[in-house]
Amino acid sequence: MGLYAFNCSEKLQTVNIRRGTCGHSVLSLGSMKTQWIWNKEKTKIVEPLDYENVIAQRKTQIYSDPLRDLLMFPMEDISISVINRQRRTVQSTVPEDAEERAQSLFVKECIKTYSTDWHVVNYKYEDFSGDFRMLPCKSLRPEKIPNHVFEIDEDCEKDEDSSSLCSQKGGVIRQGWLHKANVNSTITVTMKVFKRRYFYLTQLPDGSYILNSYKDEKNSKESKGCIYLDACIDVVQCPKMRRHAFELKMLDKYSHYLAAETEQEMEEWLITLKKIIQINTDSLVQEKKETVETAQDDETSSQGKAENIMASLERSMHPELMKYGRETEQLNKLSRGDGRQNLFSFDSEVQRLDFSGIEPDIKPFEEKCNKRFQVNCHDLTFNVLGQVGDNAKGPPTNVEPFFISLALFDIKNNCKISADFHIDLNPPSVREMLWGASTQPASDGNAKGSSPESVIHGIAESHLRYIKQGIFSVTNPHPEIFLVARIEKVLQGNITHCAEPYIKNSDPTKTAQKVYRTAKQVCSRLGQYRMPFAWAARPIFKDTQGSLDLDGRFSPFYKQDSSKLSNEDILKLLSEYKKPEKTKLQIIPGQLNITVECVPVDLSNCITSSYVPLKPFEKNCQNITVEVEEFVPEMTKYCYPFTIYRNHLYVYPLQLKYDSQKTFAKARNIAVCMEFRDSDESDGGPLKCIYGKPAGSVFTTNAYAVVSHHNQNPEFYDEVKIELPIHLHQKHHVLFTFYHVSCEISTKGTTKKQDTVETPVGFAWFPLLKDGRIITFEQQLPVSANLPPGYLNLNDGESRRQSNVDIKWVDGAKPLLKIKSHLESTIYTQDLHVHKFFHHCQLVQSGWKEVPGELIKYLKCLHAMEIQVMIQFLPVILMQLFRVLTNMTPEDDVPINCTMVLLHIVSKCHEEGLDSYLRSFIKYSFRPEKPSAPQAQLIHETLATTMIAILKQSADFLAINKLLKYSWFFFEIIVKSMATYLLEENKIKLPRGQRFPEAYHHVLHSLLLAIIPHVTIRYAEIPDESRNVNYSLASFLKRCFTLMDRGFVFNLINDYISGFSPKDPKVLAEYKFEFLQTICNHEHYIPLNLPMAFAKPKLQRVQDSNLEYSLSDEYCKHHFLVGLLLRETSIALQDNYEIRYTAISVIKNLLIKHAFDTRYQHKNQQAKIAQLYLPFVGLLLENIQRLAGRDTLYSCAAMPNSASRDEFACGFTSPTNRGSLSADKDTAYVSFQNGHGIKREDSRGSLVPEGMTGFPDQGSTGENTRQSSTRSSISQYNRLDQYEIRSLLMCYLYIVKMISEDTLLTYWNKVSPQELINILILLEVCLFHFRYTGKRNIARVHDAWLSRHFGVDRKSQTMPALRNRSGVMQARLQHLSSLESSFTLNHSSATTEADIFHQALLEGNTATEVSLTVLDTISFFTQCFKILHFLKQFEGLWRQPCVKQVYWHHFSDSVCLHRVSVSYLGNSHNMRSLSLLYLLW
């Protein structure tokens, strides 16, 4: 008995349910006095064996078994591997000494996350732990399907030839013009449209009548439709619909409407058609009478035939003849074994291979791949061109330097979505104008060429100065995204004045010389200052799918307006871009040659926005492409967990209001210089961490904004990109220095002295950190006239009043400077709650004395953290929570509150559709850490305990429901923690019973008890939650088989299943089978069932004693999982269709998995597996009346050997119309000695138990209503449907085919005579249900399906195979519905002949394989049971008139009856065996 055992008679765990004030059910559990009510009829529960004890006791038997692979778990089934983190970059993006330099706990954990490789728990045979669709083998569907030839197809081809020639043979009875209504059932009768057609009424060679229609009198053309009159039951006039109209009523309650052109023609047609209907009726009556007489004749002659058979058998026992028979049969057996196929290969489920329910592969975290495109910048030209410097012989160029910055703007969302990409397209001769000589100082103050060239991430700095190719990425592409190019030039003066030569250029040569002379003077003096000049834009995408507008061109260059410089102004201008009538911008003639193209997957020589080279990258490459940073919209759906180190701050000076200041006399041409500093002391200097612009150093100490000429309230659009240090402190700040720049140029052509160029006119600053977090919101700062030491202490008004620092404020310390910043960092967070939580954890780790309840307060605050931050730093936050769960404090409420935060994160990820990140975290990032405290519990122990505590709460039902719904996450964490514990602590080598402490077993058992009532009681209240936890629990227990005591897991499964009842509603039955299916999909399911003999030692060598062939208690105990599944299936077969369908699918899919499992492909292994399912045959025998119903056997046996192919094809009746082929009321009954009634249907009648002739289908009950009647041996439901029968029979055929002959013989010797007969009946039923119906019938099935589901024209449905008996149309239509479940075509109106041919191949191969399997079984039966011995053994049974024919019926008629449905290959094998049988008789 397990830890949690139920009384086998009647037990159920339920709970007290009370109504809450909010109107929902409140479940009282745990401390609220759990109430146990045992009120359900229970399934008999068999206690499982002690698996580990049995393995130990039978160690010798297992190791000596040649098939021990089926009995033992493989060695090294589980392991941990370290997978190198896949990087796009050549080297890690994390600086080498980053972890040592980091001081913040959050930064340290981020760096550790981006540097650590993946730790994965590997299950060696995990590929075999799912559904058969997940098997690693690639041969589920054969590459080449054999093409068998069938007589029915050849006859169809002959019929088609005869049909086309029927009119030439004189078979035309009547012809003429008629109007035919369309057959679209969706249009009412009064709306039907009639078309004029020429009709031929013809009698076919088989005696049936057909009415063909053509466009004209030439019947050599394709027929437009045909009506088979043997399915017509009446013809009546329809004067209300149309003049001279009449209706042909068909068997399927469908009608054809025709109309003659005159009343006389109508009368003639009616007389002719009524005569044909009468002829068909008379023929049917006569045929029925002949059938009855033939049956009576066969009965009277059966006695004498039996005596002749007996005598023949006695004479046939000649030794040489018997030897010849044995040798011949052996050759036949070998011949049948050639080219055999796996029957499951042609199953509809295998052919479809629907992967919709299969979870996708879990991939590690990776950078999100957005829509990317490459921008190649070629040249920029204006209409003022000339020769510059030494370039006298070269092509003319711009006579002054211009600078380009590109960025993406989103008009739809009114924002800038990328960083600036700066390009310098100036030729070398123009670039020299900026410095005059190569020894002039660069923009960072260092002399060029004065020191060795520096290297950044392995790339020479000189290779990074003139990058002309950039890669932009867009997360949300749409047509309203524009690429904006801003053109700047060296500061010279007013924009209008500077642009005038380019706009009004009457004398190009003279203008070019004048502009060049001025530019040369300006560049030598003001080369480091820029002014805005022009801008242009072009669209990027054609649609929201990200299709690039490759043919797009830039707009004309628009002169920059000094009053509209900001990004907001650009967005407004772009919004009017498509409205030229509203655009009144001055155009500067020029051309920007920039191309946009798609980015190749393997683009080489590319670097990130941090200048880290990407793979592949060539050394010393100078043609480099840089990735431009995207500003991803702050929306959850665009977020993803960070995987690389990136630490950028973008600073934007927006506006300076200096019009009211009186401190400085000259403050007009204002330049803003930005620096990043780490000290406010007088000796402090700027840090070299600002990304420079082209032609300068890659990293510089300062950056200048554009200068607006003579503007005291200048606006700025510049973007300053800063590489932040790993550790930030309170002294880190951005310093703004304002200069008045003198733009005056000496008339003598010489520049003024350098010290008179710029004059300081103020200072401003802003600290990066506030309360430990980086500030990124828009700010307005005061400006000071001087910069005394300690100026950072003057950040607010209070500090300014109390400070003794000697400082002078401009305009009374009013906020004059407006700035904003944007953080793109993967190591710093701006979320206050996350920051405080990590800061508190750092204090506790450093030895700070914790205040009681403080940690819980910060844990609860984490519920308010931003979802974007939660996703971006998901691995970092989750790992810290798991540390807190086991390490931080002994307070009882901490683990529960920590688990509640975990639950909040998990639920948010699911709500946003980002649960894949959780799966990636568990598989790759999560690595359980050993607690630092000596007595601390491990993660799996603590987490399981807290789950129990939450589930037993009665107040917070929202948390309970979330835990149930997302329980998979916590179970997966527990599993990985358990696996890591076993492997890292080397516990994996211990006996399974000693791997985990007994206390942990009790915890898992308590967790199971806490879950059960939420599934079995609250399923209607919380359907999604109960279904999810049911599956998650099954997956968890399945994985526990690999890690811990398997007998203990058996007990847990037994306890859980015992919580269900046969009277449960449908939804609980589905839960039960979903649970069992998941468990049974374990990769070592076969060893778990121990397919070996469990007889006592003295009987071990007696095979009869070893064979377990029934669902006995011993069988269910020894083979626990398969026994449990078969017992539940046996009960389910007595239930409604949905439950039966689920149970049968589980069994069938499991056997398919066994059949294709590459580990068990040896015939002896397959035989052992098939033997494990031998009780399944008994289950089928118990339900044989539902598999081989009266209608089926009548349809199968009533047809004579000479029956036409169409009688055969249409002889099946569907479960919904079982009364269509009823037996005569005088059918005889006989009774066996055991009391079972047998009904004889005809002279070769099969055996069908009395009373099983059909029950009305009572349908399925409601989900929440329980069935009141108890189950009996006779089901309250009628015969199984086609899918169920075919699935069960396919499983039966697999067992019969794969099981060893010795086992099969032993089984036959152990079953009763009646069961033996029923086994033979099952073989006959297999032949019937898997018969081949012909290509034409397959196409007709598909057309009928289309007609019902898509309302297409039913022309093809009215063109069946030729028939020679009336009344078969109804059976054919019933047949259509029965075949749908096995139809594997792609149901669409565009089905081709190739699709039909493929389906015919599948059905043909299925029929062939079934017939050969049946023939193998029958042949083996004839060898094992000598005919004379069989008759003597069952002499009393043989005297019964109908039973005497059974044996011969199964050995001859079952072969010959389906001659038309068996391929020529199958027929050849049939005739060989049949000839041998005749010879022996």
Side-chain angles (χ1 to χ4, degrees), residues 343 802 1456:
L343 182 59
Q802 298 178 0
C1456 297

Side-chain angles (χ1 to χ4, degrees), residues 65 78 86 122 163 404 476 499 502 509 588 798 992 1176 1180 1184 1203 1213 1381 1426 1436 1452 1462 1475:
D65 195 315
I78 181 176
Q86 297 298 315
N122 297 309
S163 176
I404 307 171
N476 182 29
Y502 293 89
T509 304
I588 301 177
E798 185 66 25
R992 287 177 175 259
F1176 179 78
L1180 296 184
I1184 190 170
T1213 59
S1381 60
K1426 297 295 185 287
S1452 60
V1462 179
S1475 300

Side-chain angles (χ1 to χ4, degrees), residues 1054-1072:
N1054 204 29
D1055 293 345
Y1056 186 75
I1057 293 297
S1058 62
F1060 295 87
S1061 165
K1063 291 184 177 181
D1064 282 333
K1066 182 185 72 173
V1067 64
L1068 285 184
E1070 291 175 353
Y1071 287 1
K1072 177 170 60 179

Side-chain angles (χ1 to χ4, degrees), residues 1031-1127:
Y1031 176 76
S1032 301
L1033 179 63
S1035 301
F1036 170 69
L1037 294 179
K1038 181 179 75 170
R1039 191 57 73 198
C1040 285
F1041 278 128
T1042 306
L1043 302 175
M1044 58 192 312
D1045 188 329
R1046 290 162 285 194
F1048 169 71
V1049 181
F1050 279 159
N1051 281 319
L1052 293 181
I1053 295 172
N1054 204 29
D1055 293 345
Y1056 186 75
I1057 293 297
S1058 62
F1060 295 87
S1061 165
K1063 291 184 177 181
D1064 282 333
K1066 182 185 72 173
V1067 64
L1068 285 184
E1070 291 175 353
Y1071 287 1
K1072 177 170 60 179
F1073 279 102
E1074 287 174 5
F1075 180 89
L1076 289 174
Q1077 182 179 31
T1078 305
I1079 292 290
C1080 293
N1081 277 333
H1082 190 277
E1083 59 265 38
H1084 304 310
Y1085 167 80
I1086 299 299
L1088 284 171
N1089 283 293
L1090 291 178
M1092 64 180 186
F1094 278 88
K1096 296 180 180 180
K1098 64 180 181 179
L1099 298 176
Q1100 278 187 0
R1101 295 189 179 183
V1102 182
Q1103 185 180 6
D1104 289 0
S1105 301
N1106 290 342
L1107 187 64
E1108 295 175 296
Y1109 64 94
S1110 64
L1111 278 175
S1112 62
D1113 289 350
E1114 287 299 312
Y1115 171 86
C1116 294
K1117 178 179 180 179
H1118 296 155
H1119 317 288
F1120 175 67
L1121 292 181
V1122 67
L1124 181 61
L1125 180 59
L1126 291 179
R1127 279 203 169 184

Side-chain angles (χ1 to χ4, degrees), residues 147 330 446 503 650 687 760 868 872 1112 1252 1340 1373:
N147 186 11
Q330 188 65 24
N446 295 329
I503 299 174
Y650 293 88
L687 301 179
Q868 295 92 337
Q872 291 167 346
S1112 62
M1252 297 302 131
R1340 199 160 57 238
L1373 293 178

Side-chain angles (χ1 to χ4, degrees), residues 146 148 334-342 1405 1408-1409 1412 1465:
H148 297 290
L334 293 175
S335 177
R336 289 194 300 270
D338 292 340
R340 294 290 289 272
Q341 300 289 330
N342 190 326
N1405 277 272
T1408 301
E1409 184 59 36
L1412 293 178
L1465 173 65

Side-chain angles (χ1 to χ4, degrees), residues 230-271:
D230 52 0
C232 182
I233 59 177
D234 198 7
V235 54
V236 295
Q237 295 186 38
C238 300
K240 293 183 180 181
M241 185 172 62
R242 184 186 173 100
R243 292 185 62 186
H244 315 314
F246 53 93
E247 175 185 3
L248 294 178
K249 294 184 178 181
M250 313 302 287
L251 273 174
D252 57 348
K253 297 181 180 181
Y254 182 80
S255 296
H256 295 276
Y257 298 95
L258 304 174
E261 295 185 343
T262 65
E263 184 176 357
Q264 181 181 357
E265 290 180 358
M266 180 190 70
E267 294 294 338
E268 292 174 355
W269 277 105
L270 287 175
I271 293 172

